[in-house]
Amino acid sequence: MAYRPLADEIRPQSLDQVVGQRHILGENGLLRRIIEGGNIPNLIFYGPSGTGKTTVANIIAQRTNRPLHRLNATTASISDIKDIIGDIGTLMAPEGVLLYLDEIQYFNKKQQQSLLEFMEDGRITLIASTTENPFFAVFGAVLSRATVFEFKQITAEDALPAVERGISIMEERLGAQVVCEDGVKEHIAWACGGDIRKAMNAIELLLSAARREQGKLLVSLEDAKTVAQKSAMRYDREGDAHFDIASALMKSMRGSDPDAALHYLARLLEAGDMITAIRRILCSASEDVGMAYPLAVPIVKACVDNALQLGLPEAKLPLAQAVVLLATAPKSNTSCMAIEAAMADVRRGRVGDIPRHLQNVHADSSGLEREQGYLYPHSFPGRWVDQQYLPDELKDARYYVYGENKTEQAAKRYWDEIKRKRE
């Protein structure tokens, strides 16, 4: 008998056997009602690998009389699509076909466009899956003709029954009772990171190498940890997970939640992505803490330099220090908002001529010699003198507004007092 991977053997045959996805496949879930109704529209399944997208597509195929064609966009071509289209209207597919297109994000615009006419008139019912955000990865015309359903990451609690079922199947295969140390099943369920395929692969490897004693297969927690180590980290430097974790780190620091910030830092470091963490930390020091605590910038820079010199795993120490500092520091985005406002004016063409008294002195030797009229602030009390710095058409523009924190309010009081005296 040919070898069959455990992950394939355990694949659900009904919606009730699908792990997780209760939000769309539960008793009143919309996708469940659509499938049970039998009138299948064009669908796009979006979510991490191993969460049931292909399984649900197979179940849908069992409920329709249309022939099922499968393509993987990583290897398929226009000719493969033409072959499928060629069957439509023939005895092979008199009522059209059901096309399951895996990893649709790898189809270019032309390849995706080739499906439009047949999706429009119903001769092709498309079920596409993608691990990337379809609103970025799928051509708009295809997206407008399909309904998107998000498959969410499976929790350890949801994965545990599948782990137990996988172990039972392996017991039958190997003809021996499996005895697991406490915590083995729970560790596999947790370490698979919501990917049931990973969990089944881990079980298959673990039990195939398990020690036999008195007709029993003994599975230790140590072996389980070795087989399933770091599987829980779902991370792709080019995919949504990369940007989601980086965004969550930044927003947690901005939101003054050190625990959440440390959690997302840990996820980046566990994936070995120290550079993304460093970029967000450096950015947050100026964008979110800013003028409320300007010393955060050199302190954070010192932490980053230490981390780069130390390398992982020791780099976690100064980076954690930087994250905690930023998360617990007072916040001000006044300088950030100020530069955004200034750049918006520049982009709109609001620039104007630089006032003569601010121009470089080289202008005085250009053949148009005239008195520059610049007032040197250090020559006046308080090191300040009232003169125009912005171009005439922007002379009343105000980009920077002092924040309410102690640092900026102290600076405001200082300059208000000096300027009041000079008026």
Side-chain angles (χ1 to χ4, degrees):
M1 182 177 179
Y3 166 72
R4 186 183 183 189
L6 178 61
D8 185 57
E9 186 173 348
I10 202 175
R11 193 180 294 277
Q13 300 302 310
S14 69
L15 294 177
D16 290 331
Q17 293 178 343
V18 176
V19 177
Q21 315 313 330
R22 294 300 93 193
H23 63 295
I24 53 176
L25 295 175
E27 185 177 350
N28 294 311
L30 178 59
L31 182 55
R32 185 186 190 102
R33 284 183 277 139
I34 290 172
I35 295 171
E36 291 178 342
N39 187 17
I40 309 300
N42 297 305
L43 301 169
I44 295 177
F45 295 161
Y46 157 53
S49 60
T51 53
K53 300 187 296 297
T54 302
T55 294
V56 173
N58 287 336
I59 293 171
I60 291 174
Q62 294 169 7
R63 291 174 172 266
T64 178
N65 292 324
R66 290 186 172 190
L68 173 66
H69 291 262
R70 303 173 190 270
L71 290 179
N72 189 301
T74 59
T75 56
S77 64
I78 287 286
S79 63
D80 294 311
I81 298 174
K82 289 180 178 178
D83 289 342
I84 294 171
I85 292 172
D87 287 343
I88 297 175
T90 68
L91 291 176
M92 297 291 292
E95 298 181 1
V97 301
L98 181 68
L99 171 61
Y100 178 61
L101 180 57
D102 197 14
E103 304 289 358
I104 189 175
Q105 71 270 17
Y106 291 108
F107 258 17
N108 60 35
K109 184 176 180 180
K110 183 177 180 181
Q111 289 172 308
Q112 292 188 32
Q113 283 179 317
S114 67
L115 300 169
L116 290 176
E117 175 188 347
F118 302 92
M119 290 174 62
E120 187 75 38
D121 61 21
R123 286 179 288 172
I124 286 181
T125 298
L126 176 69
I127 302 178
S129 71
T130 177
T131 57
E132 298 183 12
N133 190 330
F135 297 99
F136 295 106
V138 179
F139 179 50
V142 173
L143 201 61
S144 68
R145 291 165 173 78
T147 302
V148 177
F149 285 95
E150 181 179 2
F151 282 60
K152 296 182 178 179
Q153 184 167 333
I154 296 168
T155 65
E157 183 180 1
D158 285 337
L160 188 56
V163 170
E164 293 173 340
R165 186 171 164 224
I167 291 175
S168 296
I169 292 174
M170 289 300 295
E171 282 182 326
E172 295 180 13
R173 275 194 192 181
L174 300 173
Q177 180 185 356
V178 174
V179 179
C180 297
E181 281 187 3
D182 289 343
V184 166
K185 297 176 183 178
E186 290 77 8
H187 178 77
I188 295 173
W190 166 81
C192 73
D195 189 331
I196 299 302
R197 188 182 300 109
K198 282 186 178 180
M200 295 305 106
N201 292 341
I203 290 170
E204 194 166 9
L205 179 60
L206 192 60
L207 298 188
S208 297
R211 291 185 296 110
R212 283 181 179 264
E213 288 187 10
Q214 299 177 346
K216 297 180 180 180
L217 294 172
L218 307 181
V219 182
S220 68
L221 182 57
E222 182 180 354
D223 285 347
K225 289 181 177 179
T226 300
V227 168
Q229 61 183 338
K230 291 194 176 180
S231 299
M233 266 309 304
R234 185 183 297 282
Y235 192 77
D236 175 2
R237 290 174 190 248
E238 301 300 326
D240 290 339
H242 166 85
F243 298 105
D244 287 345
I245 297 173
S247 176
L249 170 62
M250 186 86 168
K251 290 172 181 173
S252 297
M253 290 187 292
R254 179 182 301 143
S256 302
D257 189 331
D259 300 308
L262 287 168
H263 170 77
Y264 295 115
L265 173 66
R267 288 173 69 163
L268 287 171
L269 297 184
E270 277 294 305
D273 191 358
M274 184 170 67
I275 298 303
T276 293
I278 285 173
R279 286 173 58 87
R280 294 296 175 141
I281 289 168
L282 288 172
C283 184
S284 182
S286 293
E287 181 178 348
D288 300 317
V289 175
M291 296 305 297
Y293 184 45
L295 281 175
V297 172
I299 294 172
V300 165
K301 179 59 166 60
C303 289
V304 165
D305 288 344
N306 286 348
L308 291 171
Q309 287 184 328
L310 288 169
L312 289 171
E314 290 83 358
K316 66 186 177 186
L317 302 174
L319 292 181
Q321 182 180 356
V323 162
V324 171
L325 171 69
L326 295 176
T328 57
K331 303 296 189 294
S332 173
N333 71 339
T334 54
S335 59
C336 173
M337 298 300 290
I339 188 60
E340 289 292 342
M343 292 185 73
D345 270 352
V346 171
R347 284 192 291 266
R348 286 195 294 265
R350 295 190 66 199
V351 288
D353 294 331
I354 296 173
R356 168 71 182 124
H357 58 277
L358 299 185
Q359 293 176 14
N360 194 302
V361 292
H362 70 78
D364 296 333
S365 59
S366 63
L368 299 174
E369 287 81 359
R370 62 191 186 279
E371 180 62 34
Q372 188 178 31
Y374 173 63
L375 301 178
Y376 187 56
H378 292 287
S379 298
F380 294 84
R383 304 295 190 268
W384 179 82
V385 63
D386 188 10
Q387 66 183 328
Q388 181 180 325
Y389 291 94
L390 281 166
D392 286 342
E393 66 182 82
L394 291 168
K395 65 180 181 179
D396 295 323
R398 293 293 178 268
Y399 300 123
Y400 175 68
V401 178
Y402 288 98
E404 297 177 354
N405 57 83
K406 291 192 296 184
T407 302
E408 289 181 271
Q409 284 300 305
K412 183 178 184 299
R413 285 192 298 271
Y414 174 83
W415 286 110
D416 283 348
E417 180 65 21
I418 287 178
K419 293 176 182 180
R420 190 179 301 114
K421 289 179 179 179
R422 296 290 299 149
E423 288 176 352

